[in-house]
């Protein structure tokens, strides 16, 4: 059976069909930003022309749709309704104009300390209705401990809402400002993502691929089932870099502290591995100025790629960050880094004669020899990559290090090897090696490694379990699960229950998961004291299916 991976990049959309013993087919088509579905359809048509569609078991899709919608401002107006109680003013974190704070509060143990003000809530709903709002986020401060206020908000919205994100369903974590922002963005991209999902499903049916299981790549280096992604589209934001990281894991046997470069047409993504494991933004990524709870692999993107335009400022040769169009070799009119590499005979892609003629013409017009211009462009690109890498490593070494598996305290990163992927990787390999003086590897299938990563990425999820033995209650916010427990309930019981619920949840989603890929990532138990007596324990356990790939070709 074949696993299909499609990665929609800034310049190209790549697709691979991965079999048990290697890549069976690979294609590369141009990305049409105004019609991403067209790019995906063309990639599917090309790949199914090379393999039997009946052998395709699964399609993992990495799409820039949600990211593009946010960056380009093509998002829907959202009504955000929150209740906070005492403490920080939630207006400090308002992500949009239709933002309403409802009196009412629940404390950190899930006890209601102030009822939700129904009159203010009804007024907020009416205001949103008058503004034409159809999509809502409902967030209360301690909803992971008790979601009753969020559920009351949803009930009050009734038929006025096409979709409602409840904050406790996003995550069990308590960071109120980040949960507001995450819920908002989840709503803002919901309609555009679901329109895209409908079109993808229709396309697969039309092409006779209705039997194929579809997953969407997440920013944390895992995938989620297509149906689940319809309610949590925010998780697909910034999934492209994740595909790159998982691709290099699939293609290379990484054991040391290493630097990973995915050099695409528009950007270069820089990732850092510590002892063979990629780093992760544990708290969550920033979307614009808003910190969120979307966990993501730690990747820095810079405006240097194969299609980065070459320009001259004074006597200095610049590369990027703008992309005017494709390289001259591929029909463009302005020279790019790819054209410079073609001039230096480092790569032989596209229309080489056209590229050389256009590059030489541009150089002469700017009083440069073509050799000097090409060398200057390549040197500038590599210097930029080098400077940004040093900055990233310095930043990481000033704070605790979180890999996808664990926290590593007091661990200083000293890169010993470089791995490169993406279209220009092979052509830039020696220049990067000379600059860094580190062993540099470009694996087979380097130019479609992101699609390989997409194809082979494992489905992941995580849950958080909370238990209060004084109240005699256990709850798992993201699953909406609650049960009574005895006062004798211990941390060990919580860890067992969390793992069992995690695997059962995957079973309900028809996802096969091996027990060894499940791990406890956080566990704590605190005694609760009243006067001089211990009255119970407050227990928290978080577990996950580890991000990774289902097979490797290293």
């Amino acid at each position: 059976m074949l696993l299909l991976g499609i990665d929609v990049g800034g310049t190209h959309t790549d697709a691979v069909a991965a079999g048990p013993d290697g890549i069976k087919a690979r294609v590369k088509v141009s990305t049409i930003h105004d019609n991403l579905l067209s790019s995906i359809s063309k990639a599917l048509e090309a790949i199914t022309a090379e393999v039997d569609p009946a052998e395709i078991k699964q399609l993992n899709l990495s799409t820039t749709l949600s990211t593009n919608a946010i960056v380009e401002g093509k998002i829907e107006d959202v009504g955000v309704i929150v209740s906070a109680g005492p403490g920080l003013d939630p207006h400090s974190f308002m992500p949009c104009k239709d933002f309403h704070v409802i009196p009412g509060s629940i404390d950190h143990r899930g006890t209601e300390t102030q009822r939700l003000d129904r009159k203010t809530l009804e007024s907020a709903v009416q205001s949103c209705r008058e503004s034409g709002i159809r999509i809502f986020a409902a967030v209360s401060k301690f909803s992971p401990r008790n979601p009753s206020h969020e559920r009351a908000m949803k009930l009050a919205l009734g038929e006025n809402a096409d979709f409602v994100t409840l904050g406790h369903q996003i995550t069990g974590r308590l960071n109120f400002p980040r949960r507001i922002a995450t819920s908002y963005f989840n709503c803002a991209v919901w309609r555009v993502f679901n329109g895209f999902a409908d079109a993808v499903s229709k396309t697969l049916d039309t092409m006779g691929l209705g039997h194929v299981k579809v997953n969407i790549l997440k920013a944390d280096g895992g995938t989620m089932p297509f149906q689940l992604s319809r309610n949590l589209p925010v998780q697909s934001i910034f999934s492209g870099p994740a595909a790159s990281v998982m691709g290099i894991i699939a293609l290379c046997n990484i054991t040391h502290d290493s630097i990973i470069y995915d050099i695409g047409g528009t950007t270069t993504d820089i990732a850092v591995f510590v002892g063979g494991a990629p780093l992760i933004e544990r708290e969550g990524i920033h979307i614009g100025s808003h910190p969120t709870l979307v966990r993501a692999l730690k990747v820095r993107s810079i405006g240097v790629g194969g299609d980065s335009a070459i320009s001259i400022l004074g006597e200095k040769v610049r590369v990027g960050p703008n992309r005017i169009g494709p390289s001259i070799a591929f029909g463009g009119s302005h020279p790019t880094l790819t054209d410079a590499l073609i001039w230096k005979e480092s790569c032989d892609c596209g229309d080489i004669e056209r590229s050389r003629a256009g590059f030489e013409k541009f150089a002469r017009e700017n009083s440069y020899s073509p050799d000097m211009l090409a060398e200057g462009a390549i040197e500038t690109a590599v210097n930029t990559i080098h400077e940004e890498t040093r900055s990233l490593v310095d930043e990481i070494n000033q704070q605790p290090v979180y890999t996808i598996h664990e926290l590593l305290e007091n661990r200083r990163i000293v890169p010993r090897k470089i791995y490169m992927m993406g279209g220009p990787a092979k052509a830039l390999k020696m220049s990067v090696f000379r600059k860094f003086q580190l062993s540099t590897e470009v694996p087979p299938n380097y130019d479609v490694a992101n699609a390989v990563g997409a194809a082979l990425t494992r489905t992941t999820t995580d849950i958080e379990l909370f238990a209060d033995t004084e109240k005699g209650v256990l709850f798992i916010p993201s699953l909406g699960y609650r049960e009574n427990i005895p006062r004798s309930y211990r941390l060990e019981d919580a860890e067992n229950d969390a793992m069992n619920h995690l695997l059962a949840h995957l079973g309900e989603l028809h996802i096969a998961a091996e027990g060894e890929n499940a791990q406890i990532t956080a566990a704590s138990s605190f005694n609760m004291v009243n006067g001089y007596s211990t009255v119970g324990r407050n227990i928290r356990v978080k577990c996950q299916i580890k991000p990774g790939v289902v097979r490797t070709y290293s």
Side-chain angles (χ1 to χ4, degrees), residues 2-7 13-19 23-29 39-56 58-60 204 207 209 212 445 448 451-452 455:
L2 299 176
L3 304 178
L4 206 61
I6 296 181
D7 177 76
T13 294
D14 300 335
V16 300
I23 304 302
K24 300 302 180 184
R26 37 170 285 162
V27 300
K28 188 181 286 283
V29 301
S39 303
I40 292 170
S41 298
K42 288 181 179 178
L44 282 169
E45 290 170 1
I47 207 81
T48 52
E50 297 189 33
V51 299
D52 182 359
E55 292 187 20
I56 299 173
Q58 179 175 286
L59 165 62
N60 286 352
L204 290 171
M207 297 181 66
L209 296 172
V212 174
N445 293 300
V448 291
V452 174

Side-chain angles (χ1 to χ4, degrees), residues 5-9 40 60-64 215-217 239-241 243 450 454:
I6 296 181
D7 177 76
V8 181
I40 292 170
N60 286 352
L61 178 62
S62 169
T63 172
T64 59
N215 295 317
I216 295 292
L217 214 70
S239 64
N450 43 12

Side-chain angles (χ1 to χ4, degrees), residues 60-180:
N60 286 352
L61 178 62
S62 169
T63 172
T64 59
L65 182 78
S66 297
T67 308
N68 291 351
I70 292 171
V71 171
E72 297 167 10
K74 296 178 179 178
I75 54 179
E76 186 168 356
D77 289 339
V78 178
V80 179
I81 302 175
V82 306
S83 67
L88 292 174
D89 180 3
H91 286 98
S92 302
F93 316 111
M94 59 185 295
C96 60
K97 59 182 178 63
D98 293 288
F99 185 83
H100 303 271
V101 179
I102 314 300
S105 65
I106 291 170
D107 70 14
H108 67 284
R109 291 185 62 191
T111 301
E112 184 180 62
T113 56
Q114 181 185 358
R115 288 186 177 182
L116 207 60
D117 189 309
R118 300 287 175 172
K119 187 173 290 187
T120 309
L121 176 56
E122 290 171 5
S123 177
V125 173
Q126 178 62 28
S127 174
C128 289
R129 181 189 295 120
E130 292 171 357
S131 298
I133 303 295
R134 301 291 306 177
I135 305 294
F136 296 86
V139 188
S140 66
K141 190 172 184 179
F142 288 107
S143 61
R145 301 291 190 265
N146 180 351
S148 61
H149 282 188
E150 289 183 355
R151 289 171 177 162
M153 293 174 192
K154 182 176 182 179
L155 189 62
L157 289 166
E159 296 180 356
N160 294 307
D162 292 338
F163 176 71
V164 181
T165 294
L166 300 183
H168 74 278
Q169 294 175 337
I170 292 286
T171 176
R173 293 166 61 191
L174 281 178
N175 193 308
F176 186 43
R178 285 179 180 263
R179 199 148 24 89
I180 291 173

Side-chain angles (χ1 to χ4, degrees), residues 310-327:
I310 295 174
S311 59
I312 298 171
L313 183 63
E315 296 183 357
K316 188 173 182 180
V317 179
R318 301 179 62 184
V319 177
N322 15 337
R323 177 185 184 273
I324 296 174
S327 304

Side-chain angles (χ1 to χ4, degrees), residues 37 101 185 201 214 271 292 408 435:
L37 182 66
V101 179
F185 283 113
S201 295
V214 182
T292 73
L408 302 177
K435 183 66 180 179

Side-chain angles (χ1 to χ4, degrees), residues 77 95 116 168 172 235 270 311 332 400 417 419 437 528 532 546:
D77 289 339
L116 207 60
H168 74 278
Q235 296 290 349
I270 309 170
S311 59
K417 191 165 183 177
Y419 296 87
Q437 291 296 300
M528 291 179 285
Y532 296 100
K546 294 183 292 187

